[in-house]
Amino acid sequence: MSLLFLCHPLWSGSFWIYIVFFLIALALFIAFAMRLWRSSWKDFVTIDLARKTVKLHGPLVYPVMVLVMVVLILYYSSIDHRLGFDVTPYPQHVDLNVKTSLKTLRGRLEGYSDRVIHLDPAIEGLEIEGEYDAECVADMFYAICLRHPDKLSCDWPWSEPVLYVKSKSP
């Protein structure tokens, strides 16, 4: 489970890139809807029942461009890393064969995150193991919280660059 504001907080560059992509896609969709409203479907689609064909023409470039923008939104992070911009956070995969403390894991991964990972002193020594997949470091710590709901709770204020991992009160 990936949370947009967990991996792309408001103050990060990646959040604003996604907002720009979204606004361009929305503008293209509105332009297509306005063009469609002023016309009829006959201006865009020709259906020939005798030949069993459907021809699309006219301003159908708008939905195609919206589709291109959606693909850019979905694949921007991998394109970003291949080109070396590194504006978006790296996806994370951790396979812990041996028990590792949360403090050690935070020390190993925190540099790859847009958020500071704050651990309560009571849980810094908590050892975890297993396989975790996430969209970013903060999302991975959130996945750890979900896997250990009896011991951990996570709080990620969208207005702060911090993810708080706390001990669950009995």
Side-chain angles (χ1 to χ4, degrees):
M1 176 172 90
S2 174
L3 301 171
L4 178 68
F5 289 110
L6 197 55
C7 290
H8 305 283
L10 187 60
W11 60 86
S12 74
S14 60
F15 177 83
W16 295 107
I17 288 170
Y18 284 114
I19 289 296
V20 168
F21 284 163
F22 174 76
L23 290 176
I24 290 171
L26 182 64
L28 289 169
F29 180 76
I30 289 171
F32 175 70
M34 289 175 59
R35 183 80 184 257
L36 185 64
W37 182 56
R38 293 180 185 164
S39 310
S40 70
W41 277 103
K42 293 177 185 176
D43 296 336
F44 303 116
V45 179
T46 305
I47 300 173
D48 188 358
L49 295 176
R51 294 184 186 169
K52 297 181 182 175
T53 60
V54 176
K55 291 183 183 178
L56 304 175
H57 47 86
L60 285 175
V61 71
Y62 294 120
V64 170
M65 291 180 73
V66 168
L67 182 64
V68 167
M69 292 307 297
V70 168
V71 168
L72 266 175
I73 288 170
L74 294 175
Y75 291 102
Y76 178 76
S77 62
S78 63
I79 294 168
D80 176 39
H81 297 306
R82 281 194 205 123
L83 295 177
F85 298 137
D86 296 332
V87 175
T88 57
Y90 280 100
Q92 298 294 318
H93 171 81
V94 174
D95 188 4
L96 303 171
N97 295 327
V98 295
K99 289 189 175 194
T100 305
S101 72
L102 286 176
K103 185 177 181 179
T104 304
L105 191 61
R106 179 190 62 189
R108 196 170 88 192
L109 299 173
E110 191 174 37
Y112 299 105
S113 179
D114 287 340
R115 288 188 182 263
V116 174
I117 310 298
H118 180 271
L119 299 174
D120 270 353
I123 60 162
E124 284 184 341
L126 180 68
E127 293 185 334
I128 58 165
E129 64 181 333
E131 192 171 340
Y132 299 91
D133 284 307
E135 292 298 315
C136 61
V137 173
D139 189 30
M140 188 184 64
F141 274 88
Y142 182 71
I144 292 169
C145 285
L146 288 178
R147 190 154 319 158
H148 303 281
D150 55 326
K151 299 175 186 173
L152 302 173
S153 68
C154 284
D155 184 25
W156 60 95
W158 65 271
S159 60
E160 296 178 34
V162 180
L163 171 70
Y164 296 100
V165 183
K166 300 175 182 175
S167 175
K168 195 105 179 217
S169 301

